[in-house]
Each structure stands twice: as C-alpha cells, then as structure tokens.
Amino acid sequence: MESKRIAIFPGSFDPFTKGHEEIALRGAELFDELIIGIGYNTKKKRSFPLEKTIQKIEELFANHPKISVQSYQVLTTTFAEENGAKFILRGLRNTIDMEYENSIAQANRKINGTIETVFLITSPKFGHISSSIVRELHKFGQDLSLFMPYDLD
Ligand code: ADP
C-alpha cells in the first residue's frame, strides 16, 4: 500500500490570517494530511498567544478531516520527520517571499534531501495580507475581521 502523503505547513502564524487559511485549504487538496506547524521560540514573545492560536485554528478546521495543528520547537525538517511528512508547504505572495523561501527551501534540502518543499501562489485577494501588518493594526486596536478567519475573544 502507498504511504500517506503528509505535508506540514510551517510558519510563525502570529497571527494566522485569511491568507494562511487559503493556503492550508488549497494545500489540503494536494495531500492526504496537512499539519499546520506553529514554530515556537520560547525566547521570542508572540503578539498573539500560542495556545489561543492553536485553539482557534483547531476550531476553524474542526470539520476538515485532513487539517490539524501543532506547535514545535525543533528544526522544521525535524518536525516534518517526526510526523512522517515528506512535504513542506509554503505560500508565495511576491518576489520578496520568493527570495526568502528560495534560501529556506535550499537549506532544508541540504539538511534532508528527501523532503520536498511545495509552493502555492496566493490568490490576489489575499496577497496584501501579512501577519506583521495585522500585528501593527492590532497594536492600534483596529478591527481585524478583514484579515483574520476567526474572532479574537
Ligand atoms: P514565517 O514566520 O515562517 O515567515 P508566516 O507565519 O509569516 O511564517 O507565514 C507562513 C507561510 O505563509 C509563509 O510561506 C508565507 O510566505 C505564507 N504567507 C503568509 N501570508 C500569506 C498570504 N497572505 N498569502 C499566501 N501565503 C502567505
């Protein structure tokens, strides 16, 4: 029997945006299982708390059997190996993302050449959304419903 095609979708997701949601949903069409991996560094303070983010993402995809979420504190390739994932999914918005993603993907390939990084180009309607802009808006008390797929409560 063929083994399951498992992908991880790694990121900081601080916060998880509508852009991320769309990449996760489209990615889930390509694989048997998609694990959203929140890379977490205890020394780096998040703007949106980890536990709440996990809970909200779980609720968001509660009816989607292929999508789950976990946090991790190891190398992304190690996290993939630990979960039997042969694919890393990333989203691309523009050439700046491309430059950055290119070096990460090449470094990851050096570390573990059996893991393939797969890119999805954002839909234009989400291309302007970035976690850093959402963090900035949050700091100034703006309503985030245009950018985030769930309410903060
Ligand atoms: P990181 O901190 O690792 O860059 P992010 O949480 O910012 O992670 O993003 C995770 C992934 O989602 C990255 O591949 C990033 O390019 C992609 N991404 C972020 N925002 C969008 C968006 N609006 N549309 C598509 N992909 C996106």
Side-chain angles (χ1 to χ4, degrees):
M1 207 182 85
E2 287 245 327
S3 57
K4 267 176 123 189
R5 294 163 70 84
I6 304 170
I8 58 163
F9 178 29
S12 314
F13 304 118
D14 188 25
F16 193 81
T17 67
K18 288 189 178 183
H20 295 135
E21 179 190 30
E22 206 236 359
I23 296 294
L25 288 169
R26 285 166 56 202
E29 296 290 315
L30 304 174
F31 305 104
D32 297 317
E33 205 181 314
L34 183 81
I35 304 165
I36 297 167
I38 307 183
Y40 185 59
N41 180 342
T42 41
K43 292 199 189 80
K44 222 172 127 191
K45 200 168 159 14
R46 291 176 62 91
S47 299
F48 294 82
L50 181 67
E51 289 311 322
K52 189 81 177 174
T53 303
I54 292 175
Q55 180 207 327
K56 289 291 184 178
I57 297 173
E58 274 172 354
E59 283 171 18
L60 184 65
F61 296 117
N63 294 321
H64 202 304
K66 288 185 179 178
I67 303 178
S68 63
V69 57
Q70 290 181 38
S71 63
Y72 68 97
Q73 296 192 60
V74 292
L75 273 178
T76 299
T77 49
T78 308
F79 177 63
E81 286 159 12
E82 286 172 355
N83 285 282
K86 287 278 173 224
F87 304 93
I88 294 174
L89 175 70
R90 297 282 286 180
L92 292 177
R93 284 163 293 191
N94 47 44
T95 52
I96 300 166
D97 277 354
M98 176 58 206
E99 292 274 323
Y100 177 62
E101 296 294 337
N102 185 27
S103 32
I104 303 178
Q106 296 204 30
N108 284 341
R109 176 175 290 281
K110 280 242 186 271
I111 298 164
N112 183 335
T114 69
I115 299 176
E116 200 66 73
T117 305
V118 175
F119 299 101
L120 286 177
I121 305 275
T122 183
S123 296
K125 64 180 174 197
F126 298 122
H128 64 287
I129 301 179
S130 73
S131 292
S132 56
I133 291 175
V134 178
R135 283 198 296 276
E136 196 66 12
L137 295 172
H138 184 53
K139 215 160 70 183
F140 292 101
Q142 282 293 310
D143 171 28
L144 302 180
S145 56
L146 284 175
F147 308 100
M148 290 184 65
Y150 49 78
D151 290 333
L152 292 170
D153 48 52

